[in-house]
Amino acid sequence: MKDLEIYVRDLEAGAVSQWLEGQLDQLELDDSQVDSVIKGTALFQGAGLRITLYPGAFGKRFTSLVMEGEALPWSSDLDCARSAWRSLDTEVRCSPGDWMEGDPVEDEKWWRLDHRGEHLVNWN
């Protein structure tokens, strides 16, 4: 099982399902309200995909979006974040890919994609 995880700032209701409708087949995701955990499913290249939204990640302004499946529409978190940023037009962050469970988060650099471009930054 592979996964992708990105963090979306100030996520608007319905925005994720609108973005993913053009990327996935048989999308079932009710994100009409984004104030609690939301679970959904879809298909990509005929394989099942689980989608979960976790509002309130890293403070109240970010929502974590996790996609899990055998086949994914993007090869990295950064590719997924780029697609999300183009569609959602709000700040998107993701890990650069070298973080391991147990590593201190405060030392971690994150990709931040926004109107200023793509930059590696500390979270805060």
Side-chain angles (χ1 to χ4, degrees), residues 31-81:
D31 61 339
S32 57
Q33 294 184 355
V34 288
D35 53 3
S36 63
V37 174
I38 298 165
K39 295 185 179 276
T41 60
L43 292 177
F44 180 71
Q45 297 178 341
L49 188 66
R50 290 191 314 235
I51 304 160
T52 310
L53 297 171
Y54 298 97
F58 283 99
K60 295 184 169 126
R61 298 195 71 178
F62 284 88
T63 298
S64 169
L65 166 63
V66 178
M67 287 185 265
E68 301 168 296
E70 293 303 321
L72 298 169
W74 301 279
S75 61
S76 69
D77 291 347
L78 183 56
D79 288 341
C80 180

Side-chain angles (χ1 to χ4, degrees), residues 8-13 15 34 60-63 88 90-91:
V8 181
R9 184 177 179 138
D10 300 330
L11 181 64
E12 293 184 17
V34 288
K60 295 184 169 126
R61 298 195 71 178
F62 284 88
T63 298
L88 304 176
T90 188
E91 181 179 325

Side-chain angles (χ1 to χ4, degrees), residues 20 39 55 81 116:
L20 291 178
K39 295 185 179 276
R116 297 168 286 193

